[in-house]
Amino acid sequence: YKGLEFEWQYPVLRSGSQSVDFQGSWTINRTYSRDTWREGNVASSAARFISEFAAAGIPVDNYNPYGQLASGNHNVLKAWLTWNTVAPNGVRNTVSLLGRYISGSPYSLTNAIAVPATLDSSLQDMNTSYTNYYNGRGRFTQPDVFSCDLQWNVTIPIKGKLQAFTYFSINNLFNTPIYNGIAHPAYSSLGDPAYYRVSSSANSLTNYGRPNSITGLRSVNVDLGIRF
């Protein structure tokens, strides 16, 4: 694991009952490994049979390559601008604008390849196929994510410690779509691990390269309450 994080806070304005602050953070991280079990179930991992696969002439980079794991993101950048003001009657207003950028997480293109007949029968009984990696582990990335949130808080003093408050927020202000995965159906007509082809089925051709689903569309939340 390699990671680095920066944080900053800058007072833009300080004037009587008003203040404006600009702050944020930037996190850079990479997670590398050759251990297949870190991405799945070790009981079904072909990595348990390295010596047998090597004897059959299957390079370790085909089924258990070193590379970036699916967990984590390359870059996560968050920045927010906050304005605070307190009126003479004690009413406090806070408005915040939050910007967020998250780089796409790495993923691998894989396909199931039949275990060669040269392997002993007991191993074939346990694993009739192995997961082949195309162009290594974690060589592709999901789409980046951009979003902006707007928040407005109002606190109204009533008596003593009794306060009324409202909380209004718009999540994903600009309605930027967030893609959950990209469809990459694998197919190899000759069972050759060196090739990655799109299946000839209509469904695969139609969906290839498209997002599996879209989430995180704009939403609005309003909360009212009493604090004492």
Side-chain angles (χ1 to χ4, degrees):
Y1 173 81
K2 300 177 181 179
L4 187 63
E5 182 174 1
F6 300 92
E7 294 185 356
W8 70 87
Q9 182 172 357
Y10 177 71
V12 179
L13 173 67
R14 292 289 187 273
S15 176
S17 60
Q18 298 187 69
S19 66
V20 178
D21 292 285
F22 177 60
Q23 53 190 323
S25 64
W26 179 22
T27 303
I28 309 170
N29 71 77
R30 306 285 189 276
T31 307
Y32 298 88
S33 181
R34 187 185 288 277
D35 296 328
T36 300
W37 63 268
R38 295 186 186 277
E39 288 191 301
N41 184 356
V42 67
S44 62
S45 170
R48 296 182 300 152
F49 311 116
I50 292 178
S51 58
E52 289 84 352
F53 283 157
I58 304 174
V60 66
D61 284 340
N62 278 23
Y63 65 89
N64 198 35
Y66 178 83
Q68 297 187 68
L69 300 186
S71 60
N73 302 92
H74 289 174
N75 296 280
V76 178
L77 177 63
K78 298 179 181 180
W80 54 95
L81 191 65
T82 304
W83 172 68
N84 284 286
T85 182
V86 180
N89 59 1
V91 175
R92 177 182 296 274
N93 282 270
T94 302
V95 179
S96 298
L97 180 65
L98 168 65
R100 185 185 299 106
Y101 163 74
I102 303 175
S103 65
S105 58
Y107 69 94
S108 307
L109 292 182
T110 62
N111 199 13
I113 301 295
V115 170
T118 51
L119 295 179
D120 61 73
S121 57
S122 62
L123 179 58
Q124 289 192 45
D125 290 340
M126 296 177 66
N127 253 29
T128 57
S129 65
Y130 69 93
T131 299
N132 178 78
Y133 286 77
Y134 295 88
N135 202 28
R137 184 194 304 274
R139 296 295 296 273
F140 306 89
T141 56
Q142 303 287 356
D144 296 344
V145 174
F146 301 89
S147 65
C148 243
D149 299 338
L150 179 65
Q151 299 178 351
W152 178 28
N153 300 332
V154 181
T155 302
I156 304 172
I158 299 176
K159 185 176 182 180
K161 294 184 178 181
L162 184 63
Q163 297 176 330
F165 67 88
T166 63
Y167 174 80
F168 174 79
S169 65
I170 303 177
N171 301 312
N172 199 355
L173 180 64
F174 301 109
N175 209 30
T176 308
I178 298 175
Y179 301 116
N180 293 327
I182 298 298
H184 288 294
Y187 178 72
S188 179
S189 59
L190 301 177
D192 188 342
Y195 294 94
Y196 181 86
R197 302 169 183 167
V198 182
S199 171
S200 58
S201 70
N203 183 61
S204 294
L205 291 174
T206 301
N207 295 325
Y208 185 83
R210 293 187 174 185
N212 293 323
S213 62
I214 298 176
T215 61
L217 299 181
R218 183 191 298 119
S219 63
V220 177
N221 298 320
V222 179
D223 294 327
L224 305 173
I226 296 293
R227 203 182 281 125
F228 56 89

